[in-house]
Amino acid sequence: MKKLFKSKSENFVVSSIIENDVIDRTSLSKVTGMSLPAISKIVRNLIDRGIVEEIGTSTSSGGRKPILLKFNSYYRFAIGIKIGLGYVYVIVTDFVGNVILRFAEHFDRTANPENTLMRLLEKSKERIKSSGIEIKKIIGIGVAISGSVDQEKGTLIFSSILGWENVEISKIFNKVMKVPVVVLNDVKSFTLAQVWKGAKKEYKNFLVVTIGTGIGLGIVTGRKLYVGNGNAGEFGHIVVNSDGEKCTCGRKGCLETEVSFGALVRKIKARDNFEIDKVISVSRENEGEETLLQILRITKEKNESLFKSSFENFKKFLGTALVDLVNIFNPPLIILGGEALEFGEYFIKDVSNYIHDNAFNAFGKNVEIAEDTLGEDAWSFGVIYLLIQQAFGKEPIIKEVMIKEKS
């Protein structure tokens, strides 16, 4: 991605202005450790390019009042797109992450992925243009999608949830909008959103577990995302029940088959005393995220005792798997997120207590279990954060270093 700033010094000055919201030149010199003449020269250049604005004066104990500087957040914009099961959720932000526009579009899951994405992006492009945002001011598009991703190539390798394979997302998007494109697993994006905008930003190391149509894991160390060789965190595909249901990945008894919306719906539909098909027409249990959510909401409303009982195995398998995570990583914090938080009152407290009581030694007592506070926006925020960080020449994802043996 093309860097927006000419030098490390300019980069540092802009970052410092953003961090302080408003600041005068003298204070900026003290914060950065740079001389006042150097600051004045850099700031003048930034003002001429429309990156920084003068917005008035501050109070003074004597002499001329210092002029206040503020970063022009509308200098550039970023797009974050979450591709879900039958829908896309789009967010457009300014350069500091304030949401300018958000909308959703639905699509036929059985249609060709390339045609689907091109049609959705064309519609999204028109909505963005009609909002008054200039396409030339967009620094890039970040795409968050479930499954294994080749981030370097911008390709979805495989998504068992979507049923897509070898989809060249970056190339497809570049056909419609000539801007840089980054592609990231959706849970990884969700995790970066916690680093950027989450309620627990004071933590440098933590885990994120998302629960919904699938199960995912994000690993943060030193406020950076750890991805191993590219796709670390396929937590949903650890086997927890060897006699369980067949998973979309082909194996039996994955955590995702026992702890997900699909698992809850199967428990509900297995009960003779509540025929969900009479309430809502469903041809397949994996009809789509919205359908599964609708089934769960209706069940909760019409038969809460059945709804509550459907969480018994859910809590057991989730609690056991999370204890394993705590024993392996000994994290200070685990953030639970995803669509299942809508029903958090039926499992979070019990699962938290199970972790505290059953993790090794004092590991369970020392881990905080918190809930995501960003909601649906988190899926798109993470890739936007990645774009903005890269525009500053920073990389919030740890790159695996392979050490070759000497021949």
Side-chain angles (χ1 to χ4, degrees), residues 264-326:
L264 289 171
V265 169
R266 281 196 306 274
K267 297 293 182 187
I268 290 167
K269 294 184 75 175
R271 296 283 291 271
D272 294 333
N273 62 333
F274 186 71
E275 298 179 51
I276 192 69
D277 289 332
K278 290 183 178 179
V279 182
I280 179 172
S281 177
V282 182
S283 59
R284 296 188 305 275
E285 289 170 358
N286 63 343
E287 185 70 22
E289 191 171 283
E290 287 300 318
T291 302
L292 294 172
L293 267 170
Q294 193 176 357
I295 293 171
L296 294 172
R297 288 167 181 158
I298 290 172
T299 307
K300 179 185 173 185
E301 178 186 346
K302 294 186 174 295
N303 192 335
E304 190 178 13
S305 62
L306 170 60
F307 183 74
K308 186 176 180 180
S309 67
S310 68
F311 277 90
E312 289 309 311
N313 279 343
F314 180 104
K315 290 187 292 186
K316 179 182 74 174
F317 287 116
L318 179 60
T320 301
L322 289 176
V323 164
D324 288 342
L325 277 186
V326 171

